[in-house]
Amino acid sequence: MQDVYITKTAAYLPNKPVGNDEIEDYMGLIDGKKSRAKNIVLRNNGIKQRFYALKKDGTATHTNAELAAQSVRELFDNDPNQLKNMDLLCCGTSSPDQMMPAHGVMVHGCLPESESIEVVTPSGNCCAGMHALKYAYMAVKTGDSKLAVVTGSERTSRLLHANMYAGEIESLKDIEEDPYIAFEKDFLRWMLSDGSGAFLLSDKKNETGVSLKIEWIEGVSYANEVETCMYMASEKMENGDMKSFKDYTPAEVIEQSIFSIKQDVKLLSGNIVSIGFKKLNDIWKRKGLTVDQIDYFLPHMSSEFFRDKIAKALVANDMDIPQEKWFSNLTKVGNVGAGSIYLMIDELMKSGNLNKGEKLLIAVPESARFSYVFALLTVC
């Protein structure tokens, strides 16, 4: 088995950063009214700015595939000849541009300079980017790939634009109900951001500068224990079952905003931290890890609201990593879902602060049906 290294990282954030006071200029007003939830959600999530792949009139500036492809090009210094050396492409996202074809092959299609290669698309949400990384890691480790590229990207802004809810608002007016969308839909309009990150994986570390050796990657799902928390293109029934968009009429899909993203906030708050850190505690004990061994802790947080909850969970599980070792760029890039951990590692790699021998512990939770991926990297 080969050692596997992240030898280069790249990030692509579309257009200019959007501050909190500008969000509704881009996301639009639902029924011409300002959101009741916006200020409460922003106060709790701590995000100061984010990026949208759209203009103020709601028209798109990039597809998700284009965002991912741009970060891939930057891995190779925008050199078409270097791009030909890639022999595997793995792309994770929770917001593909279409259901078919797969997101990964659409990214490949945006890279006509590359060769005909294996392309893999893990499905999922925030963990999709980590699943892409694990596939590429295993491919390089077994010798099936020599130079693999992985991406994590999102383009959720169009899904959250006010015009996505127009049919539902008109339906509510017809039955004389208050034409405000439910909190589980409005909540996410102030949480998510667009962008992409990419890693280059090799069985050889850089001759100069730093590389990140992937020591291990482990994932777990608790879908056998907990019902769905975050969903799209479906509706959650009172008994917890999910009803697919395929089982609605076209009119119902519009009237009920079935293609909007929704989240059961109470289920999220009560489970996302407590469940996930059971797995990390198991890994911690099995690997014989100690707090002193960890130099950087990179938790993917959808909101700064969870920082204190994570800290308490670490203490409760005898993994009290002090917050001066934590690293997050959530407040300045927003929650980019499957791309968030890529953007965090890219910033660290380019900071000049990493020293050989240091270890990075990664924790990526996914609330959709409560999945988690953890990893350990060593600077070398």
Side-chain angles (χ1 to χ4, degrees):
M1 293 288 185
Q2 306 292 322
D3 287 335
V4 184
Y5 304 92
I6 298 173
T7 59
K8 195 171 182 181
T9 65
Y12 185 75
L13 297 168
N15 306 315
K16 69 179 185 67
V18 176
N20 288 350
D21 57 346
E22 300 177 278
I23 299 178
E24 286 181 314
D25 294 341
Y26 288 85
M27 291 291 98
L29 300 175
I30 296 176
D31 197 31
K33 302 171 185 175
K34 289 188 175 294
S35 167
R36 294 171 174 173
K38 174 188 168 186
N39 291 337
I40 297 172
V41 176
L42 288 172
R43 186 166 62 246
N44 280 281
N45 69 25
I47 299 170
K48 304 301 182 188
Q49 62 180 35
R50 74 283 299 140
F51 294 81
Y52 294 138
L54 48 73
K55 300 176 182 177
K56 286 187 177 182
D57 63 4
T59 58
T61 59
H62 305 74
T63 66
N64 189 330
E66 288 169 342
L67 292 173
Q70 187 60 41
S71 62
V72 173
R73 282 202 174 90
E74 294 193 12
L75 275 181
F76 295 100
D77 303 318
N78 292 294
D79 182 346
N81 291 323
Q82 289 187 47
L83 191 56
K84 295 182 185 300
N85 296 323
M86 171 179 64
D87 60 16
L88 171 65
L89 177 64
C90 302
C91 303
T93 188
S94 58
S95 55
D97 299 309
Q98 64 290 306
M99 291 183 178
M100 293 185 282
H103 171 63
V105 294
M106 298 305 289
V107 177
H108 190 210
C110 292
L111 300 167
E113 315 95 308
S114 63
E115 301 290 349
S116 299
I117 57 173
E118 181 182 6
V119 177
V120 175
T121 306
S123 178
N125 293 80
C126 298
C127 287
M130 290 298 290
H131 294 319
L133 177 60
K134 184 162 186 177
Y135 186 96
Y137 160 72
M138 293 190 294
V140 174
K141 197 165 188 65
T142 59
D144 281 351
S145 171
K146 294 297 182 184
L147 202 63
V149 170
V150 291
T151 71
S153 64
E154 300 291 0
R155 187 184 74 129
T156 53
S157 54
R158 281 296 303 139
L159 295 168
L160 302 169
H161 194 275
N163 60 23
M164 290 292 292
Y165 308 94
E168 179 177 355
I169 294 302
E170 288 305 312
S171 176
L172 289 171
K173 285 181 177 178
D174 289 343
I175 57 177
E176 298 183 350
E177 288 191 10
D178 190 354
Y180 274 98
I181 60 170
F183 182 74
E184 62 264 23
K185 298 176 185 178
D186 199 14
F187 169 76
L188 289 166
R189 300 185 74 224
W190 323 113
M191 299 290 291
L192 303 178
S193 182
D194 299 341
S196 172
F199 296 161
L200 189 63
L201 270 59
S202 172
D203 59 1
K204 297 178 176 60
K205 62 183 176 181
N206 292 320
E207 294 181 0
T208 59
V210 299
S211 302
L212 297 174
K213 180 183 177 183
I214 302 175
E215 302 289 354
W216 48 260
I217 304 174
E218 293 198 22
V220 65
S221 162
Y222 289 99
N224 61 316
E225 297 181 17
V226 192
E227 65 187 38
T228 302
C229 176
M230 184 175 179
Y231 48 99
M232 177 188 149
S234 57
E235 196 61 75
K236 189 174 179 179
M237 303 293 98
E238 288 187 8
N239 65 357
D241 289 347
M242 300 303 296
K243 183 176 178 180
S244 168
F245 74 95
K246 298 176 184 178
D247 298 313
Y248 287 90
T249 67
E252 288 172 333
V253 167
I254 295 172
E255 290 170 0
Q256 298 179 44
S257 301
I258 298 298
F259 278 101
S260 63
I261 309 174
K262 299 167 277 286
Q263 186 158 43
D264 186 331
V265 181
K266 292 181 180 178
L267 196 62
L268 170 72
S269 181
N271 292 283
I272 191 65
V273 174
S274 59
I275 293 177
F277 281 84
K278 290 193 300 184
K279 177 63 176 180
L280 182 57
N281 181 259
D282 170 65
I283 296 171
W284 190 271
K285 291 176 179 177
R286 185 158 31 87
K287 302 284 186 183
L289 294 174
T290 65
V291 170
D292 291 341
Q293 290 177 304
I294 307 303
D295 299 285
Y296 290 92
F297 176 49
L298 280 66
H300 164 48
M301 299 181 293
S302 62
S303 168
E304 283 289 331
F305 171 79
F306 292 108
R307 180 181 288 271
D308 185 57
K309 292 180 179 291
I310 293 172
K312 289 178 179 177
L314 289 173
V315 172
N317 285 279
D318 297 319
M319 301 179 294
D320 186 12
I321 303 171
Q323 292 210 22
E324 56 264 28
K325 291 186 176 184
W326 292 30
F327 180 81
S328 171
N329 54 11
L330 172 71
T331 60
K332 59 184 178 181
V333 302
N335 176 8
V336 194
S340 288
I341 199 66
Y342 287 75
L343 299 177
M344 292 162 69
I345 291 174
D346 176 69
E347 184 170 334
L348 263 184
M349 278 280 278
K350 293 173 179 174
S351 69
N353 295 327
L354 295 179
N355 299 299
K356 292 185 178 180
E358 291 180 330
K359 293 190 181 298
L360 286 64
L361 179 63
I362 295 169
V364 179
E366 174 181 297
S367 64
R369 193 70 191 257
F370 295 101
S371 300
Y372 305 80
V373 182
F374 302 97
L376 187 71
L377 311 179
T378 300
V379 182
C380 58

